[in-house]
Amino acid sequence: MGPGDLSKALKGLPCMTNINLIRGLDCPDDAGVYKLTSKLAIIQTVDFFTPIVDDPYAFGLIAAANSMSDVYAMGGKPLTAMNIVCFPTGTLNISILNKILKGGAEKIMEAGALLVGGHTVDDKELKYGLSVTGIVHPDKMITNSGARPGDKLILTKPVGTGILGTAVKAGLVNKKTVKIMTESMATLNDKAAELMQEVGVNGCTDITGFGFIGHTAVMAKNSQAGITIFSDSIPLLPDAVDFAQKGVLPGGSHRNREFYSHLVTFANGIPQHMQDILFDAQTSGGLLISVAAGKAEKLLQKLHRAGVKDSTIIGEVTKEHKGRLVIV
Ligand code: CO
Ligand code: CO
Ligand code: CO
């Protein structure tokens, strides 16, 4: 389902507001946030999808890391998680599900969270993910509407998982690249979230299904600011350019282009394959962090020291072209 279908599906739903609901559907962010006390808010999010790599254990790791990412994007910590499973019991051996769930549990433990339950339905197509509850201090919640003109934008993981995932399904990707992309997708955004809180930042979102451009455009729109992206600075997964040049693109990327094109201006000379990469639907991508220019280098150094090695300054927030992206 693309972003256009999503807005149609939500059309006409009752708008539920409450003094304690500090992020809900009236102000969509990476996750819902509900204030319990003046010092504590819960963060709720859910995500599940079909396998993107062949190895079931690795798929479990990736799906769980992806599901917890929205908690980190809000500057929070995951506390508890529940498995969501669709499984074709008639055609697949249950040992496959066991491996997926082991991968998921491994990531939940790494995040310092607890698996507390789950639900499985029989379905023709395998799907797995988590429903996650996290916590954050309500005054320290980091939203996708806080980017301020003058901020620098830091991206913490390389882009290209949608294109590479499509190439993996066609059997075109070498083992080394599969390993690198799997590790990247299976990496938690926990360290980046912790360091954002330590340094103090203005805004954050994570890069997932709507692609780099989709999520960045939402940040620009919600922050009522412009964003300029330095396309040469975007960290990329190995071979992503190669497959993009060959036109290996997932369906979700076309839908992202249709929906978000009107919010983007590409400078002359940005090649077609780079545009495709920037629209590419991502799985378990990095955090996009908007931080005051004076703190950007410090945060970047801390990220690199903590092992979030692909972190790069990839753009800046502007007063000009409010609500739009300019890609140079
Ligand atoms: Co998100
Ligand atoms: Co999400
Ligand atoms: Co956020």
Side-chain angles (χ1 to χ4, degrees):
M1 196 191 262
D5 306 308
L6 184 65
S7 59
K8 276 180 208 150
L10 293 173
K11 204 174 152 191
L13 286 190
C15 179
M16 300 182 202
T17 56
N18 180 285
I19 183 90
N20 292 316
L21 185 63
I22 51 179
R23 275 298 176 275
L25 280 177
D26 59 327
C27 180
D29 208 302
D30 290 295
V33 185
Y34 185 91
K35 184 154 99 175
L36 294 172
T37 70
S38 61
K39 288 184 183 138
L40 188 66
I42 52 166
I43 304 170
Q44 289 182 291
T45 179
V46 58
D47 210 335
F48 63 118
F49 48 67
T50 55
I52 28 150
V53 288
D54 294 331
D55 175 19
Y57 180 77
F59 171 54
L61 295 174
I62 292 167
N66 178 73
S67 297
M68 290 186 280
S69 179
D70 282 325
V71 171
Y72 295 124
M74 302 307 294
K77 272 191 190 126
L79 264 196
T80 58
M82 292 201 273
N83 288 326
I84 298 169
V85 180
C86 300
F87 195 77
T89 33
T91 52
L92 280 185
N93 193 301
I94 205 76
S95 68
I96 291 174
L97 180 56
N98 179 249
K99 285 181 188 138
I100 293 171
L101 297 182
K102 276 183 177 158
E106 167 84 34
K107 271 296 143 186
I108 293 168
M109 284 198 290
E110 187 189 327
L114 299 164
L115 180 67
V116 296
H119 188 74
T120 306
V121 293
D122 217 315
D123 191 0
K124 269 185 245 147
E125 198 178 28
L126 169 61
K127 298 172 201 82
Y128 171 65
L130 302 173
S131 154
V132 185
T133 300
I135 47 168
V136 69
H137 190 297
D139 302 335
K140 290 187 167 180
M141 168 178 81
I142 303 170
T143 67
N144 64 15
S145 53
R148 294 290 165 260
D151 283 3
K152 298 286 180 197
L153 291 171
I154 294 177
L155 178 65
T156 66
K157 280 191 196 180
V159 179
T161 63
I163 289 166
L164 284 173
T166 307
V168 165
K169 281 186 186 134
L172 301 170
V173 185
N174 68 49
K175 273 195 187 132
K176 194 178 157 204
T177 298
V178 170
K179 188 165 175 271
I180 293 169
M181 71 178 276
T182 302
E183 276 173 12
S184 177
M185 290 188 288
T187 300
L188 292 173
N189 284 322
D190 57 344
K191 292 196 186 81
E194 238 171 77
L195 292 173
M196 309 198 271
Q197 290 292 13
E198 200 181 304
V199 170
V201 306
N202 294 333
C204 180
T205 191
D206 61 337
I207 304 298
T208 54
F210 300 158
F212 175 82
I213 283 178
H215 293 283
T216 309
V218 169
M219 183 183 265
K221 185 170 161 257
N222 292 3
S223 302
Q224 295 174 25
I227 287 181
T228 299
I229 298 299
F230 317 128
S231 59
D232 286 343
S233 311
I234 303 273
L236 300 173
L237 284 165
D239 304 333
V241 166
D242 194 33
F243 289 117
Q245 281 171 334
K246 288 176 180 144
V248 182
L249 302 173
S253 303
H254 295 292
R255 288 193 290 272
N256 288 342
R257 181 186 274 278
E258 275 167 34
F259 194 75
Y260 291 111
S261 273
H262 70 286
L263 295 173
V264 191
T265 307
F266 288 100
N268 286 334
I270 307 284
Q272 181 65 40
H273 69 261
M274 193 59 205
Q275 299 187 21
D276 290 335
I277 287 171
L278 295 175
F279 280 114
D280 184 36
Q282 300 298 288
T283 298
S284 196
L287 298 186
L288 177 76
I289 305 169
S290 189
V291 57
K295 292 179 181 175
E297 273 305 323
K298 187 170 147 196
L299 177 56
L300 198 61
Q301 276 174 19
K302 280 178 184 278
L303 286 163
H304 289 164
R305 239 179 283 146
V308 193
K309 57 182 188 341
D310 290 299
S311 301
T312 316
I313 294 176
I314 51 90
E316 60 194 18
V317 184
T318 64
K319 273 205 275 286
E320 298 78 39
H321 55 86
K322 266 193 188 136
R324 293 183 57 82
L325 304 189
V326 173
I327 315 232
V328 297

